[in-house]
Amino acid sequence: MLTIFLALAVVLAGVLVYTVRQSFPQVEGTLRLSGLNGNVEIYRDKSGIPHIYADTSEDLFMAQGFAHAQDRFWEMDFRRHTTAGRLSELFGAATVETDKAIRTMGWRQVAERELPELSVRTRRYLDSYAKGVNAWLQANPNASDRSLEYSVLKVQNGGYTPEPWTAVDSVAWLKAMAWDLRSNLEDEIDRALALTKLPRERVEQLYPGYPFDEHEPIVTQGAIVEERFDQRAKPRQDEPATDARGAAALAQARKTLDALPGTMSGPDHEGIGSNSWVVSGRHTASGKPLLANDPHLSAQLPSVWYQAGLHCREITEQCGYDVTGFTFAGLPGVVIGHTDKIAWGFTNLGPDVADLFMEKVTGDTYLYKGEQAKLETRREEIKVAGGATVTIDVRSTRHGPLINEVMGDVKPGEGANAVALQWTALMPGRTADAIFALNEAADWHEFRAAAALFDVPAQNLVYADTEGGIGYQAPGWIPVREKGDGTWPVPGWTGEYDWKTAPIPYDQLPSVENPAEGYIVTANNAVIDPRRYQPLLTKDWSYGYRSQRITDRLKQEIDKGQVDAATMSKIQQDSNNGLATTLIPALMEVELAGPSARARELLKGWDGSQGLDSAPAAYFNAVWRHLLKLTFDDDLPEAARPSGGDRWYEVVRRLLDTPDDPFWDDTTTKQATETRDDILRQALADAYQEVSGLLGDDVGSWRWGDLHQLPLTHGSLGTSGIGPIEALFNRGPLPVPGNKDAVNATGWNVQKGYAVTAVPSMRMVVDLGDLDKSRWINLTGASGHAFHDNYWDQATLWAEGGLLPMYSRKESVRDAAVHTLRLTP
């Protein structure tokens, strides 16, 4: 990603010893922070996790900004350059194409429009947070004071000095979060690209419907009655329609989307997901609810999350917060966690909130309903370190920016020569308001009122409270289309597929309070059966393998007796492969000889668990990798080839019943195989050849953990291509169990190998019976400073499935503290 001279390694040797410790934060004693109204205390435990105590909300968030900057300012600065399309100011020409893509999307411009629409209170808190960041920045003017990354950057870009933090910098991060948690945009393109090589009916085979008869949706009851969702109501039905055009422009648009950096997701967007579930007190040992959450995001160092507690010494009108949980460096408040009365968790709801409109552009106009409409145009200037400023003209239709244009000219295709993106996050929203409202909610009513403000990204919210209540709410700005179901790109020039002005009303979105089952499970599975719910949320759900496994495990544990926090943690660690019971019988029926037959014996009696020491898991996953490549790579363009997620579980499950389906015809070999069994046999043989080459001929000694490993790569400098620099910041790899659609979702891409690309980025179990018995873990650690004790101190425990105490009561926080810092006005 970066163009940095090899001479850096020599320079770094001289500055490393001095720089590393100089940038470590002060966590003991007393510091004066101009702008505070009163004294603030910051307690840190041995993991470096801060708990902040103040008398006003403004002081609380100012201190949070200060603490975030102490530990993670480089990460914050890098993110704001990302969201503003200004990476080239730091790294030169290497990131110009990325900046072009971001400028075309206009994240920063949307954030600037959004800020004035937020509440006065939210803007005040954002400003207080910015004051805390800037107080730290003013106290650390030199590169060596800030972090090792700045010393590295100084060698290449010595003139760079970070500017003050602003409220817009925080709001823009929400746009990046929304981008990474977008739903089916790539699927929408990939369908159209697959259509260039396959007939429509064969493309549809690759996107099967959700298996409602086998995998339960989140909400199993209710419908809309009198313009409101009623969890006791009877079902209704809906009908979709589709269309698609312009493959050439779409191929270019796919490259544009791939160029956009992932701040929470990596290059393999399909690995993004989450688990969360809640169990009512009638099934728990304490008689009060338990709530679990583990979002699946890209593996990066430092982790995207930052643990913290934000506590008002007394709950008053001036200070209404007592909240502990996971935060984002750069954003005030707690995103996922608990107050002293409620807890909540998120999974990606995945509604279809982005559509691609094929456009017919002529000069500075585009066709719309038979007339030529004027394109909106704005000029963007991209400053480039060490080079000339790059200028681009961003053009937009009524549907959104033309995203294909940032990658160069596109030849016309089927009447369309451009692609516009319409996406809910490109409209101003109130998600920042929602975060502060969630952080002080005290009951189900206040929680739902806060969720109503959560525009993008739309999430599944699970809820529990200390009074014993549990619930689920689907929030978000979800469009209503005049026509179509959002699964294919559509013609923009007809106006037939335009979005209606108003989204699905919040009161019509699915919501459940205290269901009869006594538990609620969300894992990116379908929210509700469309046979009982009319508004279209999406057709591209995760297929329910994780959610059903969690549900089945919960039922088993409930039948055994009362569930406790340890039970919830064990379920988070479940590594079962949901495809095994379907695929293994077919593999066993194939005639097979030679060493691959010996390897196949590993699968006999295998229970599907994918622990580190599992030889069957190593072989089965290798067979899966080669099965997908043999079956589909010859039929699909590169961008649309399988990565291995649970959609492909469903595709293969259905194909196994049709042994003569054309997909089984592998045209890449010199003598094309013709049937299912030929492909299965070849996959078994190829898998043996690959794994034996990597791990040796003794199949009994194979270990899944020797193949399936997690590299911890620094989010910016970790991919410089310069070994000494990467060695400063990268860590690992760590062997990990599970796979993409196990509950312990450690994703990998079958096209690239077994290295882990997406992980449970944190884990949390909240005990509403005693909040101090709650547990949590982060992927890496609190600090963003390489070589700090808390840089990646949680990683090994995370990989082992362990959790740390999640203290929140002041007595417990003080007892666990190893450092205390006092901030004074």
Side-chain angles (χ1 to χ4, degrees), residues 63-96:
Q64 184 185 15
F66 184 82
H68 276 169
Q70 281 187 302
D71 288 327
R72 301 281 192 97
F73 185 75
W74 166 261
E75 177 189 14
M76 295 162 61
D77 198 17
F78 176 77
R79 283 178 180 171
R80 69 168 162 179
H81 279 80
T82 300
T83 58
R86 295 174 54 199
L87 286 174
S88 300
E89 294 179 21
L90 300 178
F91 305 125
T95 55
V96 166

Side-chain angles (χ1 to χ4, degrees), residues 310-326:
L310 304 175
H311 310 281
C312 297
R313 294 189 181 97
E314 292 185 32
I315 303 298
T316 65
E317 289 186 7
Q318 290 74 36
C319 202
Y321 297 94
D322 185 6
V323 57
T324 302
F326 292 87

Side-chain angles (χ1 to χ4, degrees), residues 714-747:
H714 190 264
S716 52
L717 297 176
T719 54
S720 68
I722 300 173
I725 291 175
E726 293 183 357
L728 289 176
F729 298 104
N730 295 345
R731 300 292 184 270
L734 298 172
V736 293
N739 78 337
K740 194 270 179 189
D741 278 291
V743 179
N744 190 0
T746 52

Side-chain angles (χ1 to χ4, degrees), residues 740-788:
K740 194 270 179 189
D741 278 291
V743 179
N744 190 0
T746 52
W748 55 286
N749 188 323
V750 301
Q751 300 293 334
K752 300 177 181 179
Y754 306 98
V756 176
T757 58
V759 295
S761 55
M762 62 80 158
R763 298 185 182 99
M764 175 184 77
V765 177
V766 180
D767 187 337
L768 279 300
D770 183 348
L771 291 170
D772 266 4
K773 292 182 179 178
S774 303
R775 310 280 289 177
W776 61 357
I777 194 77
N778 203 351
L779 172 62
T780 57
S783 180
H785 296 281
F787 302 102
H788 192 281

Side-chain angles (χ1 to χ4, degrees), residues 201-202 205-206 582 586 589 627 631-632 650-665 674-680:
E201 62 273 11
R202 292 190 69 199
Q205 277 184 268
L206 303 179
T582 299
E589 292 176 3
L627 171 60
T631 307
F632 300 107
E650 276 299 291
V651 172
V652 170
R653 182 177 71 85
R654 300 178 193 207
L655 280 177
L656 289 173
D657 294 330
T658 54
D660 296 320
D661 189 283
F663 278 119
W664 294 119
D665 182 8
E674 299 295 337
T675 69
R676 174 198 65 193
D677 287 357
D678 293 322
I679 290 288
L680 296 180

